[in-house]
Amino acid sequence: MKKLIIVGALASCLASNMASAANYVIDTKGAHAFINFKIKHLGYSWLHGRFNQFEGEFNYDAKKPNDSAIKLVIDTGSIDSNHAERDKHLRGKDFLNVSKYPKAKFESTDITFNDATKGTVTGNFTLHGVTKTIHFDIQKLGEGSDPWGGYRTGFEGNTKIKLADYGIEYDLGPASTHVDLGLYIEGIRK
């Protein structure tokens, strides 16, 4: 009987800890989330673009922000630089090779907040068949109830990746070896 009481108390404790972190689905259906990129064009200007199709989820509890986690899956074929011919080239073998690598993925391994709103996300990013550990500087933008009876939390994050680290060797010139990535997400609590 004593063992049953201890097991019951332990199960209750675990359930309350799991319930304290809220799970969110990233609001891509309502277009309240974006994955943007920019890369220098020959060192003369910036080329901007985005990925139009991705999905993901995260969990977050303001009382225990360092217990948070995030997962993303990006449809690499949805790359959009606002120029059809360039996008065709970016989808091809010189860059993303979407016929062979249709998805890119990110999964956090650690999230550390320095204060109530700013921190760093570390995780594994898979692109072009290569997985590397990357770090995002993040900022919590806000959280609260929405007008439709839901609850939302939003973040932004920024990082820079080296194309050659992911086996993308196309020569764009010495000023264009890295891509800046911006992640802007708003999650709806499940």
Side-chain angles (χ1 to χ4, degrees), residues 15-113:
S16 68
N17 283 342
M18 289 173 61
S20 66
N23 293 317
Y24 293 82
V25 63
I26 296 173
D27 186 12
T28 55
K29 290 181 183 174
H32 295 117
F34 305 90
I35 298 176
N36 297 341
F37 66 87
K38 70 178 185 176
I39 185 170
K40 286 195 174 175
H41 182 251
L42 305 174
Y44 307 135
S45 63
W46 287 102
L47 170 75
H48 288 258
R50 65 185 186 191
F51 291 92
N52 291 327
Q53 295 175 6
F54 61 96
E55 60 187 16
E57 58 187 23
F58 64 91
N59 63 45
Y60 174 77
D61 177 359
K63 294 178 184 173
K64 297 180 183 178
N66 292 343
D67 292 342
S68 302
I70 183 169
K71 292 180 185 180
L72 289 168
V73 177
I74 304 164
D75 176 354
T76 56
S78 72
I79 194 167
D80 181 353
S81 68
N82 200 32
H83 188 275
E85 284 301 311
R86 177 174 48 232
D87 292 344
K88 182 178 176 184
H89 189 204
L90 293 174
R91 290 183 189 109
K93 291 182 180 179
D94 289 336
F95 291 100
L96 296 174
N97 197 358
V98 300
S99 62
K100 188 172 182 181
Y101 308 110
K103 303 289 181 195
K105 298 176 184 175
F106 178 78
E107 185 168 353
S108 65
T109 56
D110 179 71
I111 297 181
T112 303
F113 279 84

Side-chain angles (χ1 to χ4, degrees), residues 121-159:
V121 175
T122 301
N124 296 318
F125 182 52
T126 302
L127 175 70
H128 201 248
V130 178
T131 302
K132 296 278 186 183
T133 299
I134 62 170
H135 309 278
F136 272 90
D137 292 325
I138 59 167
Q139 181 172 357
K140 178 183 171 188
L141 300 175
E143 71 176 298
S145 299
D146 65 26
W148 308 281
Y151 193 88
R152 295 172 181 255
T153 301
F155 296 89
E156 69 174 302
N158 294 283
T159 192

